Amino acid sequence: DDVAVVGCGDGTIAWVPLRFASTGGGDLTATATVRVDGGVTSLSAVVTEHDGRVAALLVGTDAGNRYEIIARRRPSGPAKHRHAAAPTWSAPVLRATAHVGPVHDVCFPRSSSKLFVTCSVRDLRIWDSTRCAELVRVQVPNVDCACVAVTAAGDAVLSGWSDGRLRAFGPETGKLVFAIPEAHPAGVSALAVVDDDDTPRRTPLYRVVTGGTDGGVRVWRITDRRQTLAHSMKEHRGRVETIRVARDRTQCISASTDGACLVWCLERYVRLVALLDQTLFHAALYHPDASQLLTVGSNAHVTYWEAGSGEAIRVVKAGTAAVTALDVARSGRFFVTGDAARTLTVWDYDGGVALADCAGGCHPATVAAVALAPPDGARTTLVASAADAGVFLWRVPDGVDDASSGPSRSDDTPP
């Protein structure tokens, strides 16, 4: 059709007739334009096999979006000339989306494996895991979202941001439910939800434990009408990377880059146990029966700890690169790690041996976070995010997956 399609940095796509080819010069004037979100970085034509004409255009942008624009040809004149009719173009249709910066955190709702939440530069997103499709996007300009969690009731997505605010959004609409300014003035880096719904009516609906880049740990009471600070604890001297709450909700653990993981009482708000090592801790969690703790960090070790005494009872070498991400199955039978060598590994909890991995770089960049989906009777889904903006969904291999929700061992059985 002698038309050039031009993509511009402001998101404009223009159709420009190449009249100058026959006249030897002249101005180029667009005959049609459309706008997409983000600057256009790529254009590709989809050509039909039978006549070689363009059927659609695929458009990529620097906002992580991919669009399709369909050509609609209107027959005109005699039948033998109908193939030459100039096409009209549909409005851009969004076909796929992606983050544009490092994906810092990922989580599933407590009782659903069909949805998961990710957070990155300037936004958080809710995804359909069955279709790998974005359902809701929440954007906050000029700040980064460092951590996310979903309430037990599933009625709010909680998020921590680099501007120091704790924000909650509706999971269906993406509208702001509440915001706590200066939750941590230097930035919120970790959070976890303590569900208190089964306590008497006048107590909080739930509590939120947050960690900051300044090393502070704070507990917030959340009700229908207000959000108040319950307690502030400051013993870490480095960034708080992870906070996890025990199943009985009486304590939590915070992991920090200062070489300490601290176990906190959520009833008296005092430190119970300190786990110390010569490493930068990146993640920590409880075994489902709460008798043991797992930690990972820059020393490439997975360490088992006795929860009551804080004594290290096993150290497993997980490679040569820093282990940056960790999650455990609800059955307690296996756990998953991700590392700076771009590898995901599935481990047998009791044996401390690798059951499956994707060594050789299954991710293009450092694995930033991993999350195992709640058991739903089918094979377990594993979501991993990376520092290159990628989000990857995996199926736990046969023979490893177990949909049982009960712990794999009794409290007095060592790993």
Side-chain angles (χ1 to χ4, degrees):
D1 294 328
D2 293 330
V3 174
V5 183
V6 182
C8 306
D10 64 351
T12 299
I13 301 172
W15 283 260
V16 182
L18 301 180
R19 298 189 184 94
F20 68 94
S22 58
T23 62
D27 296 331
L28 297 179
T29 303
T31 58
T33 61
V34 296
R35 292 291 295 270
V36 294
D37 181 22
V40 178
T41 56
S42 61
L43 286 168
S44 180
V46 179
V47 179
T48 58
E49 294 183 359
H50 65 281
D51 60 7
R53 290 191 171 273
V54 176
L57 291 174
L58 300 180
V59 183
T61 75
D62 59 11
N65 299 322
R66 180 165 60 83
Y67 297 88
E68 183 180 29
I69 304 175
I70 300 173
R72 296 171 177 169
R73 299 184 180 275
R74 296 178 178 177
S76 60
K80 65 180 180 179
H81 297 298
R82 287 179 184 176
H83 71 281
T88 60
W89 299 88
S90 70
V93 179
L94 184 64
R95 295 302 188 191
T97 64
H99 288 289
V100 296
V103 183
H104 302 300
D105 199 8
V106 58
C107 72
F108 281 90
R110 178 178 297 182
S111 58
S112 175
S113 62
K114 301 184 184 303
L115 305 174
F116 65 93
V117 185
T118 58
C119 66
S120 181
V121 178
R122 299 186 297 276
D123 66 13
L124 67 83
R125 308 187 188 197
I126 302 175
W127 304 84
D128 183 335
S129 63
T130 60
R131 298 187 293 117
C132 297
E134 179 187 313
L135 301 178
V136 178
R137 183 189 307 187
V138 177
Q139 294 180 304
V140 181
N142 304 318
V143 291
D144 293 351
C145 186
C147 48
V148 288
V150 181
T151 59
D155 56 354
V157 177
L158 303 171
S159 55
W161 298 77
S162 60
D163 63 354
R165 291 176 180 258
L166 175 67
R167 293 178 171 92
F169 299 95
E172 295 182 353
T173 63
K175 292 184 177 180
L176 183 68
V177 178
F178 67 81
I180 301 177
E182 296 190 359
H184 293 271
V188 182
S189 56
L191 65 84
V193 179
V194 186
D195 179 30
D196 290 323
D197 280 343
D198 58 355
T199 56
R201 175 65 178 173
R202 293 186 180 180
T203 58
L205 294 177
Y206 57 90
R207 289 173 290 169
V208 181
V209 186
T210 60
T213 58
D214 61 352
V217 176
R218 295 180 174 179
V219 183
W220 306 87
R221 299 182 189 275
I222 310 299
T223 68
D224 291 332
R225 296 184 178 182
R226 65 181 64 182
Q227 306 84 42
T228 57
L229 178 64
H231 205 83
S232 180
M233 301 164 285
K234 182 67 168 71
E235 292 194 29
H236 287 298
R237 293 173 295 172
R239 173 189 173 98
V240 178
E241 293 283 345
T242 302
I243 294 177
R244 291 294 186 98
V245 177
R247 177 173 288 185
D248 63 6
R249 297 168 293 183
T250 61
Q251 59 182 242
C252 70
I253 184 171
S254 57
S256 173
T257 55
D258 64 358
C261 289
L262 304 181
V263 178
W264 305 94
C265 174
L266 292 177
E267 297 172 339
R268 296 181 290 118
Y269 300 117
V270 296
R271 174 170 59 84
L272 300 175
V273 178
L275 315 179
L276 305 176
D277 201 353
Q278 295 182 351
T279 185
L280 305 178
F281 284 113
H282 291 301
L285 53 75
Y286 288 87
H287 184 273
D289 67 15
S291 66
Q292 293 179 2
L293 298 158
L294 283 182
T295 63
V296 297
S298 59
N299 59 3
H301 291 165
V302 178
T303 306
Y304 296 66
W305 307 79
E306 205 284 320
S309 65
E311 178 185 358
I313 53 180
R314 168 180 280 177
V315 177
V316 176
K317 185 68 173 176
T320 58
V323 183
T324 53
L326 173 70
D327 198 14
V328 66
R330 295 196 182 186
S331 66
R333 289 179 166 82
F334 65 92
F335 63 92
V336 180
T337 60
D339 60 33
R342 304 172 294 160
T343 299
L344 285 175
T345 306
V346 181
W347 302 82
D348 176 69
Y349 190 97
D350 289 346
V353 296
L355 300 175
D357 62 39
C358 57
C362 56
H363 284 253
T366 297
V367 179
V370 295
L372 287 160
D376 61 1
R379 292 177 63 186
T380 300
T381 300
L382 166 65
V383 177
S385 64
D388 69 330
V391 178
F392 298 79
L393 277 72
W394 304 82
R395 293 292 186 187
V396 174
D398 290 330
V400 175
D401 184 27
D402 190 318
S404 171
S405 59
S408 63
R409 57 189 176 83
S410 62
D411 291 350
D412 58 353
T413 303

